[in-house]
């Protein structure tokens, strides 16, 4: 019957199935090898290099001639002068004297990283209007001061030359024992490298020479931001030249200005050459109230010859081990100095917590919150000028009262 045909065909297929070879199994996927990853990294490196080469052509053109300085920066330059301090690099200083008779008090301001003397241009006349001779000094490589010559890194002998001289087996044995390729240090390399010209001790020595050139000692010292370590070193080494110390949002290792951005080759160049990016960075990290004209003057100051490199080197040379409390108790002269701390009470909760640590390290200091940012000289100039003037006046009056008291 026709209905029996399909089972017969099925039986024939089933009988023939054992004679057919099964399909070969699919091999497992091979893991990604180093050879297959090399093209990816090659093309990535090529793309980044191409971007670095083409990016300057899309940015505003620049010439070898120095860029035109904004009016605000030109006016600040005209108000100050460069001090020749051989063997130290020339430092820029601006001074504002009160009208009328001789000043009753003298104040020296050391700005923090990248802020520069330009950022204190409104604080100086505000202090001089209150009878104070006010001077601001740019630290080496900062603001408008000259960039110190870079210290030469010690030379190291070639590892290839070491292997050729002493043999491959010596190099292999040294590699197994220490994990490092052997090399011989040239004569004199074993000595510690020379101190950076941006280090606090070196900067303090330059400040001492500058103060002598200005002829305004003794002074009430105002330390802003990252100038804390250099100013503290100066006060310790020159106790007779300092009458009081005021800290303005000052820390030794947490600068407001993000210098690390400018240590990234393509990113740093981009931020420095695009005004909107630079202004946004300053507003984000330093002072929310800074205007476009002021930010452009700050950017022009940093675009000077060697200025960006100076900011980066000063950031790298910061003394991260500096302890404010230890410095306060380091000597009797430092312990006797009247101290005041001005701190931003509106920047962030994290920054307020940092201020509490400073207050704990200086329990005998006067602590006051201000309404500005981490660069209060830009957005709260009148407020901090008044606080500094009142503190300077009261500290000198208290010192005069102690001197006039008869000794029993």
């Amino acid at each position: 019957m026709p209905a029996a045909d399909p089972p017969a065909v099925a039986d024939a297929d089933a009988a023939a199935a054992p004679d057919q070879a099964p399909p070969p199994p699919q091999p497992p996927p091979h893991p990604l090898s180093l050879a297959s990853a090399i093209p990816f990294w090659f093309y990535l490196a090529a793309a980044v290099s191409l971007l670095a080469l083409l990016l300057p052509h899309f940015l505003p053109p620049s010439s070898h001639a120095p860029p035109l300085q904004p009016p605000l920066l030109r006016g600040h330059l005209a108000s100050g002068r460069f001090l020749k301090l051989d063997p130290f690099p020339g430092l820029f200083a601006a001074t504002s004297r009160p009208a009328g008779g001789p000043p009753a008090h003298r104040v020296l301001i050391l700005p923090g990283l990248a802020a520069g003397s330009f950022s204190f241009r409104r604080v100086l006349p505000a202090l001089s209007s209150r009878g104070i001779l006010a001077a601001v000094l740019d630290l080496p490589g900062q603001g408008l001061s000259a960039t110190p010559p870079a210290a030469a890194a010690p030379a190291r002998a070639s590892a290839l030359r070491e292997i050729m001289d002493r043999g491959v087996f010596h190099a292999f044995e040294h590699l197994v024992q220490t994990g490092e390729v052997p090399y011989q240090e040239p004569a004199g390399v074993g000595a510690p490298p020379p101190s950076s010209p941006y280090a606090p001790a070196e900067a303090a020595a330059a400040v001492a020479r500058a103060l002598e050139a200005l002829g305004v000692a003794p002074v009430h010292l105002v330390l802003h931001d990252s100038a804390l370590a250099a100013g503290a070193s100066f006060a310790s080494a020159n106790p007779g030249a300092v009458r009081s110390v005021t800290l303005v949002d000052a820390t030794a290792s947490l600068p407001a200005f993000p210098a690390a951005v400018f240590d990234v080759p393509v990113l740093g160049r981009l931020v420095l050459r695009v005004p909107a990016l630079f202004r946004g960075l300053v507003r984000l990290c330093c002072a929310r109230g800074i205007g476009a004209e002021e930010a452009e003057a700050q950017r022009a100051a940093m675009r000077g010859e060697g200025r960006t490199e100076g900011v980066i080197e000063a950031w790298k040379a910061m003394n991260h081990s500096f302890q404010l409390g230890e410095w306060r108790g380091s000597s009797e002269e430092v312990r006797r100095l009247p101290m005041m701390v001005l701190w931003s009470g509106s920047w962030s909760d994290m920054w307020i917590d940092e201020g509490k640590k400073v207050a704990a390290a200086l329990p005998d200091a006067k602590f006051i919150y201000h309404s500005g940012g981490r660069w209060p000289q830009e957005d709260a100039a009148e407020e901090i000028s008044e606080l500094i003037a009142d503190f300077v006046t009261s500290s000198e009056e208290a010192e005069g009262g102690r001197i006039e008291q008869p000794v029993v």
Side-chain angles (χ1 to χ4, degrees), residues 74-334:
R74 289 202 305 269
H76 179 67
L77 276 166
S79 66
R81 62 191 177 109
F82 288 91
L83 306 173
K84 303 300 182 181
L85 306 172
D86 186 70
F88 301 100
L91 302 186
F92 180 82
T95 305
S96 180
R97 297 178 178 272
H105 317 294
R106 297 175 175 86
V107 168
L108 176 65
I109 303 172
L110 300 182
L113 186 69
S117 57
F118 171 78
S119 65
F120 284 89
R121 66 197 177 280
R122 288 194 291 264
V123 174
L124 296 186
L127 289 174
S128 61
S129 67
R130 294 173 168 85
I132 295 175
L133 187 153
V136 59
L137 180 70
D138 283 331
L139 293 175
Q142 301 294 299
L144 299 172
S145 291
T147 302
R156 294 178 60 165
S158 170
L160 179 60
R161 173 59 61 184
E162 173 74 7
I163 293 174
M164 292 175 63
D165 291 343
R166 306 188 66 177
V168 176
F169 293 102
H170 166 75
F172 180 75
E173 182 182 359
H174 188 279
L175 179 63
V176 171
Q177 292 177 355
T178 66
E180 297 179 355
V181 177
Y183 71 93
Q184 283 183 331
E185 293 183 344
V189 174
S195 177
S196 167
Y198 301 92
E202 300 293 329
V207 171
R209 292 290 302 274
L211 192 62
E212 180 181 355
L214 289 172
V216 296
V219 295
H220 296 269
L221 200 57
V222 176
L223 307 178
H224 168 243
D225 195 58
S226 59
L228 172 60
S233 180
F234 167 75
S236 297
N238 305 272
V242 180
R243 307 190 71 170
S244 73
V245 177
T246 297
L247 308 183
V248 182
D249 293 89
T251 62
S253 59
L254 295 174
F257 191 79
V261 171
F262 296 88
D263 201 23
V264 180
V266 176
L267 179 61
R269 189 174 181 183
L270 179 66
V271 172
L272 193 61
R273 296 190 60 181
V274 179
L277 291 179
F278 184 85
R279 182 171 67 252
L281 185 68
V282 174
R283 286 179 174 176
L284 177 66
C285 302
C286 306
R288 299 188 184 99
I290 192 171
E293 192 175 4
E294 290 82 1
E296 179 60 21
Q298 292 279 2
R299 187 179 75 93
M302 274 200 66
R303 292 183 67 187
E305 182 178 0
R307 300 278 167 70
T308 305
E309 291 76 9
V311 170
I312 295 173
E313 292 302 320
W315 164 62
K316 293 179 178 179
M318 285 182 179
N319 182 7
H320 295 274
S321 62
F322 177 83
Q323 296 295 327
L324 190 57
E326 292 181 4
W327 168 74
R328 179 60 162 166
S330 60
S331 67
E332 186 61 29
E333 292 82 0
V334 174

